[in-house]
Amino acid sequence: MAKVIIVGAGGVGNVVAHKCAQQSEVFDDILLASRTVSKCDAIAKDVFDKQGVKIRTVALDADDVAATTALLKAEQPLLLINVALPYQDLVLMDACLAAGVHYLDTANYEPLDEAKFEYKWQWAYRERFKKAGLTAVLGSGFDPGVTNVFCAYALKHHFDQIETIDILDANAGDHGYPFATNFNPEINIREITQDGRYWEGGEWKTIPALSIKQVYDFPEVGPKDAYLLYHEELESLCQNIPGLKRIRFWMTFSPQYLTHLMVLENVGMTSIKPININGQPIAPIEFLKAVLPDPASLGPRTKGKTCIGCDIVGSKGGQRKRIFIFNTCDHEACYAEVSSQAISYTTGVPAMIGAMQIVKGNWREAGVWNMEQLDPDAFMEALEHYGLPWKIIDLPVAEQLD
Ligand code: NDP
């Protein structure tokens, strides 16, 4: 049993709070901390109403390392789950080191003033976590997160050698708005509008944003247009899956979503560079975020399913083979359980399960780890139990993606 502090009271923080509360034999004391404490209090009320568990709340500006360190020293949790924004990763890792607390997050660090997310800043903490005897688990959401564990599990149980990995992320949900993003709009739009990138033959290849697409026939969801994007798990997987020849990431978008995005980009609304409006410096994307629907408000309106998985080609016992290992998740079922749609659900459940691995001691080696570096078995079993069951289907090698 362990005390845990969750930082961030957005869509994902809500799911993590509900799921940790459901596992009160593992997480016996839950503190939810965020910048706007009223959001923590609203989540705590819903957790009590739905799960019958009381969680505590506190206001915290995570950018203030001294304040976070003081809170951690006073509370002495075993673990901090960071589901604030990627901008807070390094300050929260600093506070965890100062207070002797294990760390877990769901997205890699990104500087506020540069749309460039990379692991190098967090990997630079490896020695410090090792010396302090503390564990930091990076990217314990769905993608990154479950997708990394799917690859580790496939390598451990289904392949002697993996050749190619295509990670495919389909959201076939409909919220009824002409345009909205499923999680934090600023992070989401920054991710989609950057150049596409994939790794092949030992090097990175760059393509203009959204310039390569394929139709992929997703189980339970059907055929969808999937666009090649750069996504953060590629950076660690290309290093940690031995002998890998190629790894790519694909996400589905509807024509309506892309048309809106193109217009917003063309008129300058997705820029992160502040402009001066009546003496106020305002980044257009932050203004856009303020006028778009709050992702947390999409829950009650979203219908349909997500399907996220890894299409893997390689060999076992001298035979070439291809599998798709995936989960599908229903937006309405998620909302009924924890008052959030499936995007927050598929991120928050793995964050809770990753935290559970640290609490139970399965993942306790000191250092900074990406998920595929850790043993996948207990995590995969927990996915089945705590809301994200997965399947593996065999596919014809001859029909592998171009
Ligand atoms: P939201 O924007 O809904 O929530 C972010 C929360 O963090 C808000 O409550 C916000 O507070 C709080 N916050 C921001 N800055 C600070 C700060 N300085 N101190 C304390 N709290 C702060 O985001 P989501 O819940 O959608 O996403 C959370 C994280 O999950 C993000 O890092 C996102 O990239 C990641 N993610 C990962 C996925 C994966 O599969 N791996 C998929 C989806 C998301 P306030 O309310 O005051 O603004």
Side-chain angles (χ1 to χ4, degrees), residues 81-401:
I81 302 176
N82 169 16
V83 280
L85 295 178
Y87 318 124
Q88 276 76 53
D89 288 1
L90 302 187
V91 283
L92 286 171
M93 288 174 89
D94 286 332
C96 282
L97 280 171
V101 172
H102 299 295
Y103 171 89
L104 176 141
D105 66 30
T106 64
N108 67 6
Y109 176 69
E110 181 167 349
L112 243 186
D113 52 358
E114 196 190 350
K116 190 165 179 42
F117 48 89
E118 270 188 70
Y119 278 116
K120 69 173 183 206
W121 291 286
Q122 290 183 278
W123 286 343
Y125 281 69
R126 279 172 178 153
E127 276 312 306
R128 273 175 280 169
F129 270 80
K130 215 170 182 178
K131 274 208 186 103
L134 293 171
T135 304
V137 173
L138 307 184
S140 190
F142 206 103
D143 45 344
V146 176
T147 50
N148 303 55
V149 177
F150 280 170
C151 293
Y153 186 83
L155 184 60
K156 185 171 176 185
H157 299 287
H158 293 269
F159 291 94
D160 300 324
Q161 172 72 58
I162 290 180
E163 291 168 22
T164 62
I165 300 171
D166 284 289
I167 301 169
L168 291 123
D169 177 333
N171 177 12
D174 182 8
H175 45 59
Y177 286 118
F179 183 80
T181 62
N182 292 301
F183 67 99
N184 185 284
E186 196 182 332
I187 306 292
N188 193 194
I189 291 173
R190 282 170 70 152
E191 177 176 276
I192 298 165
T193 54
Q194 65 171 350
D195 280 348
R197 216 153 30 112
Y198 63 101
W199 188 87
E200 187 172 40
E203 60 183 50
W204 290 103
K205 309 217 162 147
T206 304
I207 57 157
L210 306 173
S211 60
I212 296 184
K213 89 167 174 190
Q214 299 209 37
V215 176
Y216 194 84
D217 194 1
F218 289 87
E220 297 176 43
V221 157
K224 296 270 167 220
D225 287 344
Y227 292 81
L228 195 156
L229 296 186
Y230 178 66
H231 220 243
E232 64 194 63
E233 63 265 52
L234 304 185
E235 188 184 0
S236 66
L237 284 166
C238 76
Q239 296 188 17
N240 293 327
I241 303 293
L244 187 67
K245 290 186 181 143
R246 185 184 68 202
I247 181 162
R248 302 178 296 191
F249 181 95
W250 307 81
M251 191 177 274
T252 66
F253 301 106
S254 66
Q256 170 159 317
Y257 182 93
L258 290 180
T259 306
H260 278 79
L261 190 65
M262 208 193 320
V263 172
L264 291 168
E265 208 179 358
N266 287 344
V267 299
M269 282 306 297
T270 60
S271 168
I272 61 171
K273 285 215 172 75
I275 51 168
N276 198 305
I277 298 181
N278 297 335
Q280 290 276 346
I282 296 176
I285 198 162
E286 279 182 35
F287 180 82
L288 177 63
K289 179 182 169 192
V291 294
L292 285 175
D294 177 356
S297 71
L298 302 178
R301 323 170 37 108
T302 309
K303 297 179 178 17
K305 285 187 176 180
T306 61
C307 176
I308 314 175
C310 300
D311 185 320
I312 303 176
V313 177
S315 55
K316 177 90 177 166
Q319 292 282 342
R320 290 193 80 224
K321 62 181 284 198
R322 175 180 171 215
I323 62 168
F324 188 53
I325 175 166
F326 68 97
N327 159 266
T328 54
C329 195
D330 184 85
H331 286 286
E332 287 173 285
C334 296
Y335 191 76
E337 184 192 334
V338 299
S339 317
S340 273
Q341 32 77 352
I343 305 299
S344 302
Y345 190 88
T346 53
T347 309
V349 172
M352 180 281 286
I353 294 174
M356 185 184 262
Q357 303 315 309
I358 294 177
V359 172
K360 289 186 170 175
N362 296 336
W363 291 356
R364 198 60 91 73
E365 203 179 325
V368 174
W369 307 105
N370 290 93
M371 307 275 286
E372 69 276 15
Q373 296 177 288
L374 304 161
D375 189 84
D377 291 352
F379 186 97
M380 289 291 279
E381 201 186 317
L383 286 174
E384 294 277 2
H385 288 297
Y386 302 115
L388 294 175
W390 45 274
K391 285 187 195 147
I392 295 181
I393 50 174
D394 288 305
L395 294 173
V397 180
E399 289 169 27
Q400 76 181 88
L401 289 175

Side-chain angles (χ1 to χ4, degrees), residues 9-12 35-36 39 60-63 84 86 106 142-144 184 347:
V12 179
R35 195 165 47 188
T36 312
K39 290 195 187 173
L60 174 72
D61 178 0
D63 294 325
T106 64
F142 206 103
D143 45 344
N184 185 284
T347 309

